[in-house]
Amino acid sequence: MHETMIAQSIVEAISKEAAKYDAKPIAARSSCGQLNPINDEVLNFAFEIVAKDSVCRGMTLEIVHIPLKGKCKNCGETFDFDIYSPGCPACKSNEFSIEPDAELLLEEIEFEDK
Amino acid sequence: MKISLKKKILDKNEECSLQNSAFFADNNTFCVNVISSPGSGKTTILSRTIGDLKDRLKIGVIEGDIRTDTDAKKIRSTGAAAVQIETKGACHLSAEQVTGALGAIGAADLDIVFVENVGNLVCPSAFDLGEQARTVVLSLPEGDDKPIKYPGTFAGADVLLINKMDLADVVDFDLDRVINHISTLKPDIQIFQVSAKTGEGMDAWYDWLMKRADANQPKED
């Protein structure tokens, strides 16, 4: 449900850039990690509603999920952490640490050609 | 035309959270963000903590709930200052809401400010409030699978309070499983097994709190 606040922040940020470039935004890409997960459907739904009264109306939003990295303490392998089979895929050790999760970012905005 | 931004989405919350953390540092106030699912015993833990540490620390509580000021009233009945934030539907507290409550609670004169977040194991973990420590409460009846099912919340915690230990004989709760999962998600987490009802295990939690609140005081020359 925190997606609504995230949608508001995205719309505000895009609107600011749109004013700066004096252009109509048509698509944007955001990214998030695994520990601060976003439900794509909920975010897109919230985005659509929040965008309605702004320059972002009708634009599309893509959400990229960046894998969480694990680092094996036994063999040193860095791997994508899989919650369904946590453990090092190389040596099967369960002794590993988790690297910092990817931040919630607005990566890119695409504007209509003038 | 495409532009690359790489802009933090929750930068507004981050701005307020930095403001809060500067406020806490300036006033030597130790702030703890308390997160859990509804019904884990957050308010009971805080009430007991306030009662037991009353003579040693000045404590205040910022309460976050979707509706009612039930929890703030409970806290006030211990004699401590409490401010209720009613989110009216929002599933978490934001740093901005905490900023607004700091004056009302007289946070500058307190040793510890607890922020009791909205009961929810998902959303609050995404919103830094400017706290110096984050405590997650997990109570036995919720089950031992919570850390692995809600990894974001548990990986972000400095302290895990396993509450309702007085029910250990009547609920199936595999403590080793929790500790095993947690040590993967957050190897340096502090774990305290407590019962806020009976007082069991609370002293270790108080020791940790007092040590941290003490470390927050300005050093004497």
Side-chain angles (χ1 to χ4, degrees), chain B residues 86-97:
Chain B
E86 259 188 284
T87 65
K88 299 191 169 74
C91 47
H92 61 273
L93 288 178
S94 67
E96 198 175 0
Q97 288 171 312

Side-chain angles (χ1 to χ4, degrees), chain A residues 1-2 5-6 9-10 12-13 17 21 30 35-36 83 96 103-111 113, chain B residues 1-10 12 14 89 91-92 94 123 126-127 148 151-152 155 184-185:
Chain A
M1 231 164 79
H2 59 299
M5 196 168 181
I6 292 169
S9 302
I10 295 176
E12 276 171 30
E17 296 300 320
Y21 290 96
S30 62
L35 293 178
N36 179 16
I83 205 146
F96 59 90
E103 275 191 278
L104 203 52
L105 293 179
L106 176 58
E107 297 266 3
E108 192 180 85
I109 308 172
E110 191 181 345
F111 295 99
D113 291 325
Chain B
M1 174 185 66
K2 264 187 191 175
I3 60 161
S4 172
L5 268 181
K6 303 237 177 253
K7 178 182 158 50
K8 284 187 191 175
I9 290 175
L10 292 174
K12 206 166 157 192
E14 195 172 299
C91 47
H92 61 273
S94 67
C123 313
F127 296 86
I148 203 72
T184 297
L185 292 167

Side-chain angles (χ1 to χ4, degrees), chain B residues 78-189:
Chain B
T78 66
V83 174
Q84 181 76 49
I85 298 171
E86 259 188 284
T87 65
K88 299 191 169 74
C91 47
H92 61 273
L93 288 178
S94 67
E96 198 175 0
Q97 288 171 312
V98 170
T99 309
L102 290 173
I105 204 182
D109 298 321
L110 297 172
D111 297 310
I112 298 181
V113 170
F114 287 112
V115 181
E116 184 180 337
N117 222 307
V118 179
N120 179 334
L121 277 182
V122 187
C123 313
S125 70
F127 296 86
D128 201 338
L129 305 179
E131 72 269 20
Q132 287 105 326
R134 198 174 277 193
T135 293
V136 174
V137 180
L138 169 65
S139 67
L140 263 52
E142 293 167 52
D144 49 36
D145 53 2
K146 291 302 165 289
I148 203 72
K149 282 170 111 172
Y150 300 89
T153 293
F154 288 87
D158 302 294
V159 172
L160 172 65
L161 288 174
I162 304 181
N163 191 28
K164 307 192 187 177
M165 286 302 292
D166 51 300
L167 299 178
D169 293 337
V170 289
V171 294
D172 292 326
F173 186 94
D174 185 347
L175 208 57
D176 289 340
R177 188 175 183 215
V178 168
I179 291 168
N180 194 16
H181 286 156
I182 280 279
S183 59
T184 297
L185 292 167
K186 188 75 195 272
D188 60 348
I189 199 167

Side-chain angles (χ1 to χ4, degrees), chain B residues 19-88:
Chain B
Q19 243 178 56
N20 292 350
S21 89
F23 172 92
F24 294 129
D26 287 349
N27 294 290
N28 307 305
T29 304
F30 180 50
C31 178
V32 186
N33 183 0
V34 185
I35 298 175
S36 80
S37 29
S40 68
K42 290 185 295 299
T43 315
T44 310
I45 289 172
L46 296 183
S47 298
R48 183 154 198 140
T49 302
I50 291 164
D52 289 347
L53 298 180
K54 209 179 327 204
D55 299 333
R56 286 179 276 182
L57 293 171
K58 280 181 284 179
I59 299 176
V61 182
I62 296 170
E63 283 288 348
D65 276 293
I66 287 180
R67 286 283 176 191
T68 82
D69 61 348
T70 310
D71 284 356
K73 279 183 186 150
K74 242 188 245 175
I75 296 292
R76 280 186 210 117
S77 75
T78 66
V83 174
Q84 181 76 49
I85 298 171
E86 259 188 284
T87 65
K88 299 191 169 74

Side-chain angles (χ1 to χ4, degrees), chain A residues 8-64:
Chain A
Q8 272 164 350
S9 302
I10 295 176
V11 167
E12 276 171 30
I14 296 175
S15 302
K16 220 180 189 176
E17 296 300 320
K20 197 157 90 188
Y21 290 96
D22 190 24
K24 161 95 183 108
I26 48 175
R29 182 158 50 83
S30 62
S31 64
C32 67
Q34 300 295 307
L35 293 178
N36 179 16
I38 285 177
N39 181 300
D40 294 9
E41 277 176 32
V42 179
L43 181 59
N44 273 313
F45 180 68
F47 182 76
E48 202 184 309
I49 291 172
V50 180
K52 217 175 244 175
D53 297 322
S54 76
V55 66
C56 302
R57 186 190 177 105
M59 68 180 288
T60 59
L61 177 67
E62 182 197 354
I63 302 132
V64 179

